[in-house]
Amino acid sequence: MNLNSLLLRPPTGLLHPAPVDPDRHTMSRERLLAYLQIKVHHLIQEQDWDSIRIVGGYDRTRGISRYEKSGKLFNTERPTAQAYGRDLLVQAFPGADYVQHYALIIATYLAMTGRPADTVAYQPPGEEECRTALDALDLDLRGDVVIVGWGLEHLAPRSGVWTQGPGHCWQRTKVGGTGVVYLGFRHSIWGDVAGHTVARLARMGAGAVVYVGKVGSLDPGTEPNQWLATGNTSLLGGALVSWDDFFGDYARTQPGVRSGLHVSSPSILLENQDWLAQHAASYTFVDPEIGPMGAAAGRAGIPFGYLHVISNNLASLYPADLSNERHSDVLRQRAILLDRITRIITARLTGGTPLHGAAP
């Protein structure tokens, strides 16, 4: 979708995000601001605008942020931005959760840096727009297990060749006679985008989907980057959803793996102290994608499983959190966990025994 068509859209359905109170968030004020600074487009950080509108749209031809990640094959792209006089149009990959999340990021950043946040509005993309945004994903799947998400450069065979597609890369291999496709995206598959991804993969013939990523812990005793998380139930939109778990009881019985009930949150910015008090007693993990993916897999009739690094803790303050996850110590610890994930997935596919020794 080009810039002119987005600008000419009638401004119907515009929503104005309320900046979050940094003193009530589960991250400290300092860490929350550091998190926002690595997310907000440079045009917003460097100058003021009469209005900032966030919409769904994937356009990599212009307006790329200077703060995008580098040195990685996947999840490097962030929303782009183009000036239209004194107005700024921000294009996030079409997803209702992602557009809202990025609007909250911008509004909260502006408020925390002493600038007016009432200039920010967002226009949620429609369901059809979100679904068709993934039409460029076109793989010949023949019952393969598709492993999607984070850390794929470590999970996939080092000798494998990545095939490039629009906004994604993939490679195919066999593990114990089972066809496995590793699929990574350069853009974010945040929240409901991840659910649409599973639905698309099922329509293309996926036999199962495994999601490797990162979750936050609601258990104050769980130190980040030391444990893996798994489960088969999530609170999504106020209702519990469960799915046919690809791992069964297998992953949760392995050393260093914790299991529990998950809650799906459309934005980290919404996870304040009140949110934590409401969910901490009943739920163990939080992220934006697991619930939508599990629900989509259930509707499609295919197994789904997640095996995630516990990357941050909402209930206790630890040195590592989402504001400093690019530090070398964090990367080293996560590399160890990714090796553990590789062995568990391989053993699940081959029927072997993946690990020995006690949990951390």
Side-chain angles (χ1 to χ4, degrees), residues 44-65:
I44 298 170
Q45 298 199 42
E46 294 173 0
Q47 57 187 291
D48 296 327
W49 301 92
D50 291 343
S51 72
I52 301 173
R53 190 186 349 160
I54 301 95
V55 299
Y58 184 52
D59 182 0
R60 297 297 297 175
T61 61
R62 50 189 168 179
I64 296 172
S65 175

Side-chain angles (χ1 to χ4, degrees), residues 215-219 229-236 239-243 252 258-264 275 279-287 290-291 306 310:
V215 293
S217 174
L218 307 186
D219 174 6
T230 196
N232 72 336
T233 303
S234 177
L235 181 70
L236 177 64
L240 288 175
V241 296
S242 298
W243 51 86
R252 72 189 69 208
R258 294 191 170 180
S259 63
L261 290 177
H262 173 273
V263 56
S264 296
W275 183 96
H279 295 93
S282 301
Y283 301 93
T284 310
F285 313 123
V286 59
D287 92 327
I290 288 170
Y306 74 91
I310 298 177

